[in-house]
Amino acid sequence: MFSEPDYVVPLWCNGEAVSTDASNNFPVTNAIQNRVVHYASSASTSQAISAVESAKVAFKSWKVASHVTRRDLILRVAARYEANADKLVKLQIDETSCDEAWARQNVDLAVRYLKEIAACISSLTGVIPPIEKPNTMGFVFKQPVGPVLCIAPWNAALILATRGVASAIAAGCTVVFKASELSPRTHFAITEAFTEAGAPPGVLNQIQSRREGAAEITEAIIAHEAIRKVEFIGSAAVGRIIGQVAAKHLKPILMELGGKGPAVVLDDANLEEAAKLCALGAVLNHGQICFSTERIIVHTGVAEKFRRLIVEAMKGMDSHSGAAVSESIAQHAVDVLNDAKAKGEEFLVGGVDPSKPLTLRPTIVLQPEHSRIVDEETFGPSASLYVVDNDDAAIALANRSAYGLNATIWSTNMERALKMAKELEYGQVHVNSISVYTSPTASQGGVKGSGFGRQNAKWGLEEFVVDKFVSWHGKA
């Protein structure tokens, strides 16, 4: 049923589907197959505000729900994901043209996120600090921040939306979930899972909208007095706009934005393994991942050998690179590569193939200096290769970016790698690993132009609570 073209993804408010006029529905397409897989309701501003009001009312009771109630809900949602894994895989493939391996990894990781979030709920504890005034006691309580707006992307549609929504609800908040217009049915499966798992009406409300009306609706939600925090995952360009709106209305925001992830290959690295995983990190999900390997920085002493290895590795990556989610996303990647070509940059492998506009060739550009690819996220299956003389030069080049999300280091010397990791201006640094790595038990987030705040496990829960200090001065 869910893949039939006549299906319409509804809005969800106060535990009920909300219908809209059919003229407001928009098509959701599978780009690689060039077909409409279903339609989605597009919210009006008034409907978005109704979702906020629903979250506001539900917060009154949900904020005092016991940690056991919240934990058990999240665990039941995880069970729903496991029971419907094949459906969740198919929805992602239908809407985003990703391959099955990526879709299934989304399901598996989302389940692990849910279980870890549930396990960490009881760690949200306050403290009793010492007070300098005699006969006085102090208490610092952890309290849910309030109704929040979660804006999720399409590229890791299940993982990233699940993490934010579940963290907020687990902390005692209620949510207005703004689904991506490119993957609204996948996102609605999250809302269905929470509903079927017993989430009270209003705890999770979902809207989506046509791209043309997104800015107006988003600001209307953020401006509402009931919304106390915003979580946004997406591009740096859109993040700047939403950050400005949040600042205008004095709303705190948790943002995870784009990246220009470097992989530093040192002269003591396992070059074969580094080449294989750097190539895979560059092309996985057609490069449409903020954790993609976008820049490869190799020591001059092993540069010639590594260059041969990375070229061969990229040539074998067609079967792993998938397809673009839309023509516009693919065109952006093409434009970046064409700009590099026009400015005389050298292509070691790949390039633009006009006959395959949605499945770009895995590409390596050598030492780019003057083109957009230097520090613009391509969101395509490509990377740049640089050669440097020493560790200090590698660190300087890696840090020469507006972004600061993910980095990797390849070395067999742990002391050397850890020393370098501390110098890299990135929220995550992985040693001897693919760049597209995250752990449900470890903090995750960006620095510099890649956002701020931390997600995952207890760090993600802490983002959705506030400290309240209460002091007791004895009987008056």
Side-chain angles (χ1 to χ4, degrees):
M1 179 185 70
F2 54 82
S3 63
E4 294 178 357
D6 57 353
Y7 178 85
V8 180
V9 181
L11 310 177
W12 191 260
C13 181
N14 200 33
E16 296 182 348
V18 178
S19 300
T20 61
D21 188 285
S23 63
N24 289 330
N25 297 342
F26 60 89
V28 181
T29 62
N30 179 293
I32 195 65
Q33 297 178 2
N34 192 29
R35 67 182 177 93
V36 174
V37 291
H38 43 247
Y39 290 81
S41 299
S42 185
S44 65
T45 300
S46 62
Q47 288 167 327
I49 294 302
S50 293
V52 178
E53 294 289 348
S54 174
K56 178 182 178 180
V57 172
F59 180 65
K60 294 177 182 178
S61 56
W62 187 246
K63 69 179 180 181
V64 295
S66 73
H67 74 281
V68 175
T69 297
R70 290 177 277 128
R71 181 194 63 203
D72 290 352
L73 171 65
I74 301 301
L75 290 175
R76 289 194 299 271
V77 173
R80 297 297 305 173
Y81 278 34
E82 291 175 317
N84 293 282
D86 290 342
K87 173 182 175 180
L88 293 172
V89 167
K90 188 177 188 308
L91 287 174
Q92 293 172 84
I93 295 171
D94 278 352
E95 292 189 316
T96 69
S97 300
C98 68
D99 60 25
E100 182 176 347
W102 177 250
R104 201 162 292 282
Q105 182 180 349
N106 262 254
V107 177
D108 294 343
L109 187 53
V111 169
R112 286 188 280 134
Y113 270 129
L114 287 164
K115 291 180 178 178
E116 184 61 28
I117 289 166
C120 291
I121 290 174
S122 58
S123 70
L124 281 176
T125 56
V127 297
I128 301 177
I131 303 298
E132 78 285 357
K133 183 182 176 183
N135 302 316
T136 302
M137 295 187 68
F139 307 87
V140 178
F141 296 99
K142 299 282 187 181
Q143 295 188 318
V145 66
V148 301
L149 168 64
C150 291
I151 306 174
W154 53 267
N155 58 324
L158 198 66
I159 297 173
L160 298 179
T162 294
R163 185 185 64 182
V165 166
S167 294
I169 291 174
C173 299
T174 54
V175 173
V176 176
F177 174 27
K178 186 176 182 299
S180 170
E181 76 279 5
L182 296 178
S183 58
R185 184 63 184 92
T186 301
H187 284 166
F188 187 61
I190 297 172
T191 299
E192 286 181 315
F194 271 89
T195 302
E196 292 166 0
V203 167
L204 177 57
N205 309 274
Q206 178 176 325
I207 65 163
Q208 60 272 337
S209 71
R210 296 176 180 272
R211 184 177 291 270
E212 297 83 2
E216 179 183 353
I217 287 173
T218 301
E219 177 153 11
I221 295 172
I222 295 173
H224 195 288
E225 54 84 21
I227 292 294
R228 299 300 172 85
K229 189 162 188 173
V230 179
E231 186 222 20
F232 172 76
I233 304 174
S235 71
V238 178
R240 288 188 184 94
I241 296 171
I242 292 178
Q244 290 171 355
V245 174
K248 174 182 173 182
H249 298 285
L250 292 178
K251 302 295 175 73
I253 186 167
L254 166 62
M255 290 204 292
E256 185 178 303
L257 307 177
K260 194 69 179 175
V264 180
V265 182
L266 302 182
D267 50 13
D268 62 351
N270 179 332
L271 298 182
E272 289 79 7
E273 188 71 5
K276 180 180 70 175
L277 291 186
C278 284
L280 185 59
V283 308
L284 198 64
N285 197 32
H286 208 253
Q288 300 167 133
I289 310 171
C290 52
F291 279 15
S292 289
T293 302
E294 292 248 4
R295 296 178 295 153
I296 305 169
I297 303 167
V298 60
H299 265 232
T300 185
V302 295
E304 184 176 348
K305 180 178 180 180
F306 183 81
R307 174 171 165 169
R308 293 195 303 270
L309 290 169
I310 192 67
V311 167
E312 287 304 310
M314 289 294 273
K315 287 180 179 178
M317 284 294 155
D318 282 321
S319 61
H320 298 286
S321 59
V325 68
S326 68
E327 290 183 4
S328 62
I329 294 294
Q331 189 60 51
H332 173 266
V334 167
D335 291 345
V336 172
L337 292 180
N338 282 338
D339 178 70
K341 183 178 181 180
K343 291 176 179 171
E345 312 287 18
E346 180 182 351
F347 286 62
L348 294 179
V349 63
V352 175
D353 182 354
S355 69
K356 297 181 177 181
L358 292 172
T359 54
L360 305 182
R361 297 160 59 192
T363 298
I364 294 284
V365 181
L366 180 63
Q367 297 275 139
E369 296 181 2
H370 308 295
S371 56
R372 290 167 56 184
I373 200 171
V374 171
D375 199 37
E376 183 173 335
E377 191 175 26
T378 64
F379 243 50
S382 60
S384 305
L385 178 65
Y386 297 88
V387 179
V388 295
D389 292 332
N390 52 56
D391 288 12
D392 288 342
I395 292 168
L397 179 55
N399 288 342
R400 195 186 70 189
S401 174
Y403 295 101
L405 189 57
N406 231 42
T408 62
I409 300 170
W410 288 90
S411 173
T412 55
N413 185 322
M414 185 175 183
E415 180 181 1
R416 183 184 184 190
L418 291 180
K419 180 181 178 182
M420 177 175 284
K422 292 172 68 175
E423 295 297 321
L424 293 177
E425 297 169 348
Y426 291 83
Q428 290 75 229
V429 181
H430 308 302
V431 181
N432 298 334
S433 169
I434 190 172
S435 60
V436 187
Y437 173 77
T438 183
S439 171
T441 61
S443 71
Q444 178 179 310
V447 298
K448 299 195 300 188
S450 292
F452 35 78
R454 307 299 293 182
Q455 278 281 22
N456 295 5
K458 65 179 182 180
W459 292 277
L461 293 177
E462 289 282 355
E463 288 287 345
F464 296 103
V465 297
V466 292
D467 289 347
K468 177 177 286 186
F469 174 52
V470 176
S471 61
W472 165 257
H473 299 261
K475 294 182 178 180

